[in-house]
Amino acid sequence: MLLRLIRLFTLIVTFVCISSATFAISLGELQNSPQFWRERHSSSVDVYLDLNSIQSTLYNPPKYTLKFKVYTVDKKDKYIGEGNVIADYDYNKSIEGIIKRNNLAKMPYTSEKVKSTVKKAKLKDSGVVNELNISAIYDLNGNEIYSGNLIKAAGKSKVDATSSGYIISVKAFKQYYNVNF
């Protein structure tokens, strides 16, 4: 009986070690897999959205919440940060919502009045609120540097419509829902 328990324990430990090793990510994987969409943050930092990780956690129009993984590649300091994002969306603040609220639905999207109204409204409030927690850190070859307790990188806060956080969140939203946010 004790021998069976030891074998079972050994098997479980082996499985856990193999499973956790398979979740490590390298720069090559991020750059070459269609599973990852890249947003260039700056010349030394890229942010990748894991398209396969997008999940809806709240569908209560006009409020939506998605959960997804992002990978931040810092080429200068040579690491990859794996993060879990929770993104809340208020569809009333989408492009379509802004146009409807301002009675501009009969005007083409390309008109200056529509562009100006949408830009002002989005800069005032993008409609996106994000929370980011770091779950792991890897070197560029995919070797684990840190994993364990989540590191709160950013609490729930409004996202600026010109930021990478907004672009990544809208990309996730568009991947999941067929709308113009």
Side-chain angles (χ1 to χ4, degrees), residues 15 28-29 39 47-48 61-62 68 86 92 112 116 148 166-167 178:
F15 177 72
E29 289 173 271
E39 160 62 10
V47 181
Y48 290 83
F68 51 88
I86 297 174
N92 288 326
E112 282 306 311
S116 172
Y166 177 78
I167 294 167
N178 187 21

Side-chain angles (χ1 to χ4, degrees), residues 3 9 15 17 25-26 31 37 55-56 73 82-83 110 114 119 123 128 134 143 145 152 159-160 164 169:
L3 185 57
F9 179 73
F15 177 72
C17 289
I25 191 105
S26 70
Q31 292 175 331
W37 179 82
Q55 301 171 8
S56 176
V73 177
E82 178 182 284
T110 56
V114 170
K119 184 177 180 182
L123 289 174
V128 178
I134 304 299
N143 299 310
I145 297 171
K152 186 176 233 61
V159 178
D160 184 308
S164 287
S169 297

